Amino acid sequence: MPRKPTQKRAIVTVDAIVEAGFMAVASHGLAGATTRHIATLAGISVGSLYEYFANKEEVYEAMNRKLVEDIIGTIKPLIPSLTHMGIAEAIRTMLHAVGALLRRDNNRYLQCARHGIQSDIKADLTPINRVLIELMMQYLMHHPRYARLINLSAFSYIAINGGMFTLMKHLNEENPSISYDKLVDGLANMMAHYADGELALLEKP
Amino acid sequence: MPRKPTQKRAIVTVDAIVEAGFMAVASHGLAGATTRHIATLAGISVGSLYEYFANKEEVYEAMNRKLVEDIIGTIKPLIPSLTHMGIAEAIRTMLHAVGALLRRDNNRYLQCARHGIQSDIKADLTPINRVLIELMMQYLMHHPRYARLINLSAFSYIAINGGMFTLMKHLNEENPSISYDKLVDGLANMMAHYADGELALLEKP
Amino acid sequence: MPRKPTQKRAIVTVDAIVEAGFMAVASHGLAGATTRHIATLAGISVGSLYEYFANKEEVYEAMNRKLVEDIIGTIKPLIPSLTHMGIAEAIRTMLHAVGALLRRDNNRYLQCARHGIQSDIKADLTPINRVLIELMMQYLMHHPRYARLINLSAFSYIAINGGMFTLMKHLNEENPSISYDKLVDGLANMMAHYADGELALLEKP
Amino acid sequence: MPRKPTQKRAIVTVDAIVEAGFMAVASHGLAGATTRHIATLAGISVGSLYEYFANKEEVYEAMNRKLVEDIIGTIKPLIPSLTHMGIAEAIRTMLHAVGALLRRDNNRYLQCARHGIQSDIKADLTPINRVLIELMMQYLMHHPRYARLINLSAFSYIAINGGMFTLMKHLNEENPSISYDKLVDGLANMMAHYADGELALLEKP
DNA sequence: CATGAATGAGTATTCATTCAT
DNA sequence: AATGAATGAATACTCATTCAT
């Protein structure tokens, strides 16, 4: 029965555990991370970990929530400015921001991604999807000509799954065959051409 | 120390173990699959498993090699006919073939992918990359006008990582938000527009 | 080191803890009851519990003392009236009274008995024995003819151990094979016949 | 997934585990006995214990089965001779035999009983009940005059629960207030008088 | 060559007890 | 006095690996 962390100290401890969770998974992998690793990294005892989380799984869920929260916190504030850019530039801007987030704190998030944190945990990525859809809606209001054509769900599906994953994969590679900027450019251009190409088809078939 | 399986019977056993590995991971997950599961499914004893593989990790590596091998075996024979198609059709054809492979044998490969087999194992996907590059070279010989523009490595990088992963992700989803055909069409069109869009920029800037 | 609770408030707290102990054991079993359960049910903190009891074991001992005390408190006042009854009726009366005690407060004592509180704890039942012996002495003064024969200690030993336990066992059973009244009758008659039978043997050998 | 012990060695091991279970419970109590205790006493590793038993509970169940089996094995062969005795002598004979069983092997069964093995485990004592009922049926065939009166189920209920428990309790006591023989005599006489007393009431009311 | 019984280090989780606030 | 956060030893159970037969 995990305690509700109402006191200041308790909240600090909960945060420390989540941080330690990222560190532990980063160094030992999802399966290799033990509760003792996490507790030690958080500077507490195993028992204390279980004061705040009913089990290991709950720690992982909290980690996932934190990651999703941070990604959303990165994208959302950018929306107003993104809507005034061209597709390619908007995507490029967004990907660079997310890339920076993933590399923060010694690549903490990145290392977790490498170990597939999203495969075993009930990673609820729908909040990210929601933000991206909101971004699109805003974008369409400023660029109404795209409104006719884009299959919103397909576009977002490919963007979030293909785009994000490719980005993560690249950030994780030790000797990537292409540079990060080249990759981001490639993804941005691809999406832009996709949209414009489909639009062209519609306009003069 | 495992022997090199030179005899016929030994080779059969090794194959059975690898097959059993896929089955075990498919039903119990990467972390849940035990050597006993694998040995039992392979119809041998645990002891025998260790005659052919030094440890569990080696079995996983063999599984990975097999998967890569099968994917290559699926794509390679298609190359001659793919070179005569348009970009979108070629990609569509290829993705459908790979999708069929992943669903073979009761989704064996797919289930493994779901459990993140590629995240923990030193999955060496470069052979697949090589084949795709070969495919491109051949394609360029039949469509020389693309030769000028395409950043081969970036294109293939995005194609293999983003495309493949998106495909797997989709095949694994229980209630995908878009249909499989829509997804393949989306990916195919995207790549085609990407190529054609870049080409257009080059031709009349 | 727990203080001797001399103040009123302290005595109230001690009682609350003992009550909470019965409730905790009743709902979670002897092994399942935790100090946190007990403290929470008593409306205090774990720390406070240790102000009054050196450890969990001491709480259990206090619970045992309370139970024995209550049983004695149930039997003792009955003694004067029991001495005027026949053996069977006296036993029947006593067993019904004790049965009622065990079922008091939502079967609190009963549930504890079910969880074997008497097996692990140093249950000192001798005070009960003493009261039963006192009862017998009084009974003999009113029925002197039994004085010659009855092996007092054997009789009381069998009565307290066999009788009480059989009673508890029955009260705990979900689908007892015989009714409660039948059981009490059986026990009462058995003891009565025992006494009278032995007496008969003595009188006309 | 516990193995079926088909091989000779395995059967020996299973027996050793059950024996060790009795020893462990005898020295540490039901709650205090750990899987490691049991394994060590059985001269095997914890892992091996789990080869044959799915969990600790299963070991306890096997112990219970063994005890019930042994008690039945003690009583059943006596039935033919018991049927030719008087009630008191028959009960005395039976109780002595069971008492001897409980004291066998350094009081192994006895110590377990002290720790309440029967309270937590789903002790299925019905087989013992069945044997006692069989004994009664046989007895009645040789002593038909008792047939009219005895409430078989009540008699057996009191006999098995009250009688057996009182016996065990006594055997466990360090300084019993009465001797073992006195107790057995008391129980035997009590049952005999019970039967005869009830019979007398029926015959000349 | 094959077997499968045996191993024991390692995992998540619990809970009596302590002690700083 | 009272609190409740922190502790860490202890427990049941798993599973990759070994090795006697």
Side-chain angles (χ1 to χ4, degrees):
Chain A
M1 241 172 290
R3 213 182 306 152
K4 266 279 166 67
T6 42
Q7 301 190 2
K8 269 183 226 165
R9 192 151 62 124
I11 293 179
V12 169
T13 304
V14 165
D15 284 350
I17 293 172
V18 174
E19 288 302 292
F22 282 116
M23 285 158 58
V25 171
S27 23
H28 302 94
L30 231 224
T34 70
T35 48
R36 209 171 330 185
H37 285 150
I38 298 175
T40 303
L41 285 168
I44 57 168
S45 66
V46 233
S48 292
L49 190 155
Y50 282 90
E51 290 279 336
Y52 299 104
F53 296 90
N55 47 46
K56 208 175 139 186
E57 187 65 16
E58 271 197 6
V59 178
Y60 285 161
E61 280 163 18
M63 286 163 61
N64 181 69
R65 267 196 307 279
K66 178 73 160 59
L67 177 54
V68 167
E69 205 172 83
D70 276 2
I71 290 179
I72 288 178
T74 300
I75 297 177
K76 211 161 196 172
L78 293 177
I79 293 184
S81 55
L82 293 177
T83 53
H84 298 112
M85 303 176 183
I87 288 186
E89 195 191 350
I91 290 178
R92 203 162 23 234
T93 304
M94 192 177 73
L95 291 185
H96 276 301
V98 172
L101 170 67
L102 295 177
R103 275 187 297 217
R104 223 176 53 186
D105 299 322
N106 272 328
N107 291 326
R108 186 169 299 170
Y109 288 154
L110 212 44
Q111 299 294 342
C112 288
R114 180 209 297 263
H115 290 297
I117 198 173
Q118 82 283 4
S119 57
D120 264 333
I121 306 175
K122 294 264 170 227
D124 192 1
L125 300 177
T126 50
I128 298 182
N129 234 321
R130 253 201 306 275
V131 171
L132 289 181
I133 287 175
E134 187 192 328
L135 166 58
M136 260 180 232
M137 303 299 284
Q138 301 276 351
Y139 196 87
L140 289 180
M141 287 181 62
H142 287 78
H143 306 262
R145 64 193 194 96
Y146 288 119
R148 278 182 301 158
L149 66 100
I150 292 177
N151 181 336
L152 248 151
S153 63
F155 192 84
S156 103
Y157 191 92
I158 294 176
I160 187 173
N161 288 301
M164 286 300 205
F165 175 76
T166 312
L167 201 73
M168 280 187 175
K169 186 82 194 303
H170 183 274
L171 286 167
N172 265 317
E173 268 174 321
E174 298 187 345
N175 300 309
S177 52
I178 64 173
S179 76
Y180 183 65
D181 287 341
K182 277 247 161 67
L183 175 69
V184 169
D185 275 356
L187 286 168
N189 289 336
M190 186 183 300
M191 299 311 274
H193 285 309
Y194 183 29
D196 288 327
E198 293 279 331
L199 195 61
L201 285 184
L202 274 184
E203 278 164 357
K204 12 172 177 168
Chain B
M1 232 172 289
R3 292 162 284 120
K4 268 275 167 65
T6 41
Q7 302 184 6
K8 265 186 224 164
R9 196 159 58 131
I11 293 179
V12 169
T13 305
V14 165
D15 284 350
I17 293 172
V18 174
E19 286 302 292
F22 281 115
M23 285 158 59
V25 172
S27 29
H28 302 94
L30 231 226
T34 71
T35 48
R36 224 197 293 207
H37 284 150
I38 297 175
T40 304
L41 285 168
I44 60 169
S45 67
V46 232
S48 292
L49 190 153
Y50 280 86
E51 288 284 329
Y52 298 102
F53 295 91
N55 47 44
K56 208 176 146 187
E57 188 64 16
E58 272 198 4
V59 178
Y60 284 162
E61 281 163 17
M63 286 163 62
N64 181 70
R65 270 197 304 279
K66 177 73 160 62
L67 177 54
V68 167
E69 206 172 84
D70 275 5
I71 290 178
I72 289 176
T74 299
I75 296 176
K76 212 162 195 170
L78 293 177
I79 293 184
S81 55
L82 292 177
T83 53
H84 298 112
M85 303 175 182
I87 288 186
E89 196 191 350
I91 289 177
R92 201 159 27 231
T93 305
M94 193 178 70
L95 291 184
H96 276 302
V98 172
L101 170 67
L102 295 177
R103 277 187 295 217
R104 222 177 54 185
D105 297 323
N106 271 329
N107 290 329
R108 186 171 300 171
Y109 287 152
L110 209 45
Q111 298 294 342
C112 288
R114 181 205 298 262
H115 291 297
I117 197 173
Q118 84 285 1
S119 57
D120 266 334
I121 305 174
K122 296 254 173 241
D124 190 2
L125 301 177
T126 50
I128 298 182
N129 233 321
R130 255 201 306 276
V131 171
L132 289 180
I133 288 175
E134 189 192 328
L135 165 57
M136 258 178 230
M137 302 300 285
Q138 300 275 353
Y139 195 86
L140 288 180
M141 288 181 62
H142 287 79
H143 305 262
R145 63 194 193 97
Y146 287 119
R148 278 183 301 158
L149 68 100
I150 293 178
N151 181 337
L152 247 151
S153 61
F155 192 85
S156 102
Y157 192 92
I158 294 176
I160 185 173
N161 289 301
M164 285 300 204
F165 176 77
T166 312
L167 202 73
M168 279 188 177
K169 184 87 192 300
H170 183 275
L171 286 168
N172 266 317
E173 268 174 323
E174 299 188 347
N175 299 309
S177 52
I178 64 173
S179 76
Y180 183 66
D181 287 340
K182 276 247 163 66
L183 175 69
V184 170
D185 276 356
L187 286 168
N189 290 335
M190 187 182 300
M191 300 310 274
H193 285 310
Y194 182 31
D196 289 328
E198 294 279 333
L199 196 61
L201 284 184
L202 274 185
E203 278 165 357
K204 24 181 172 163
Chain C
M1 232 173 293
R3 291 165 283 117
K4 269 276 170 63
T6 42
Q7 303 183 6
K8 263 187 226 167
R9 196 160 56 132
I11 294 179
V12 169
T13 305
V14 165
D15 284 350
I17 293 172
V18 173
E19 285 304 291
F22 281 115
M23 285 158 58
V25 172
S27 29
H28 302 94
L30 230 227
T34 71
T35 48
R36 223 197 294 208
H37 285 149
I38 298 175
T40 304
L41 285 168
I44 59 169
S45 67
V46 231
S48 292
L49 190 153
Y50 281 86
E51 288 285 330
Y52 298 103
F53 294 90
N55 47 44
K56 208 175 145 189
E57 188 65 15
E58 271 198 5
V59 178
Y60 284 162
E61 280 162 19
M63 285 163 63
N64 182 68
R65 269 195 304 279
K66 177 71 157 64
L67 177 54
V68 167
E69 206 172 83
D70 276 3
I71 290 178
I72 289 177
T74 300
I75 297 176
K76 212 161 195 171
L78 293 177
I79 293 183
S81 57
L82 293 177
T83 53
H84 299 112
M85 302 177 186
I87 288 186
E89 195 191 348
I91 289 178
R92 202 161 23 233
T93 304
M94 192 178 74
L95 291 184
H96 277 301
V98 172
L101 170 67
L102 294 177
R103 277 188 295 217
R104 223 177 54 186
D105 297 322
N106 271 329
N107 290 328
R108 186 171 300 173
Y109 288 152
L110 209 44
Q111 298 294 342
C112 289
R114 181 207 297 263
H115 291 297
I117 198 173
Q118 83 286 359
S119 58
D120 267 334
I121 306 174
K122 294 258 174 235
D124 190 3
L125 301 176
T126 50
I128 298 182
N129 234 320
R130 253 199 307 275
V131 171
L132 289 180
I133 288 175
E134 188 191 330
L135 164 59
M136 258 178 231
M137 302 299 284
Q138 301 275 352
Y139 196 86
L140 289 180
M141 288 180 62
H142 288 78
H143 306 262
R145 64 192 193 97
Y146 287 120
R148 279 183 301 157
L149 67 98
I150 292 177
N151 182 335
L152 247 150
S153 61
F155 190 84
S156 102
Y157 192 93
I158 294 177
I160 185 173
N161 290 300
M164 286 299 206
F165 176 77
T166 312
L167 202 74
M168 280 187 174
K169 183 86 195 300
H170 183 276
L171 286 168
N172 266 317
E173 267 175 321
E174 298 188 347
N175 300 310
S177 51
I178 64 173
S179 76
Y180 184 66
D181 286 340
K182 276 247 164 62
L183 175 69
V184 170
D185 276 354
L187 287 168
N189 290 335
M190 186 183 300
M191 299 311 272
H193 284 310
Y194 182 30
D196 289 327
E198 294 279 332
L199 196 60
L201 284 184
L202 275 183
E203 279 162 358
K204 19 175 174 163
Chain D
M1 244 172 286
R3 215 182 304 153
K4 267 277 168 64
T6 43
Q7 302 191 1
K8 269 183 225 164
R9 192 151 62 124
I11 293 179
V12 169
T13 304
V14 165
D15 284 350
I17 293 172
V18 174
E19 288 303 291
F22 282 116
M23 285 157 59
V25 172
S27 20
H28 303 93
L30 232 224
T34 71
T35 48
R36 214 184 311 199
H37 285 149
I38 298 175
T40 302
L41 285 169
I44 59 167
S45 66
V46 228
S48 292
L49 188 155
Y50 283 91
E51 290 278 335
Y52 300 105
F53 296 90
N55 48 44
K56 207 174 139 187
E57 188 66 15
E58 271 198 6
V59 178
Y60 285 161
E61 280 163 18
M63 286 162 62
N64 180 70
R65 267 197 307 278
K66 177 75 159 60
L67 177 54
V68 167
E69 205 172 84
D70 276 3
I71 290 178
I72 289 177
T74 299
I75 297 177
K76 212 162 195 171
L78 293 177
I79 292 183
S81 55
L82 292 176
T83 52
H84 298 112
M85 302 176 184
I87 288 187
E89 194 192 349
I91 289 178
R92 202 160 27 231
T93 304
M94 193 178 74
L95 291 184
H96 276 301
V98 172
L101 170 67
L102 295 177
R103 276 186 298 214
R104 225 177 52 186
D105 299 322
N106 272 329
N107 290 328
R108 187 170 298 171
Y109 288 154
L110 212 44
Q111 299 294 343
C112 288
R114 180 207 298 260
H115 291 297
I117 197 174
Q118 81 284 6
S119 57
D120 264 333
I121 306 175
K122 294 261 170 232
D124 192 3
L125 301 177
T126 51
I128 297 181
N129 235 320
R130 253 200 306 275
V131 172
L132 289 181
I133 287 174
E134 188 192 329
L135 166 58
M136 261 180 227
M137 302 300 285
Q138 301 276 351
Y139 196 87
L140 290 180
M141 287 181 61
H142 288 78
H143 307 261
R145 65 197 192 94
Y146 288 119
R148 278 182 303 156
L149 66 98
I150 293 176
N151 181 336
L152 246 150
S153 62
F155 192 84
S156 103
Y157 190 93
I158 294 176
I160 188 173
N161 289 300
M164 285 300 205
F165 176 78
T166 312
L167 202 73
M168 281 186 174
K169 185 83 194 302
H170 182 275
L171 286 167
N172 265 317
E173 267 173 323
E174 298 186 348
N175 299 309
S177 51
I178 63 173
S179 76
Y180 184 65
D181 287 340
K182 277 247 163 66
L183 175 68
V184 170
D185 276 355
L187 286 168
N189 289 336
M190 186 184 301
M191 299 311 273
H193 286 311
Y194 183 29
D196 288 327
E198 294 279 331
L199 195 62
L201 285 183
L202 274 184
E203 277 163 0
K204 21 178 172 164

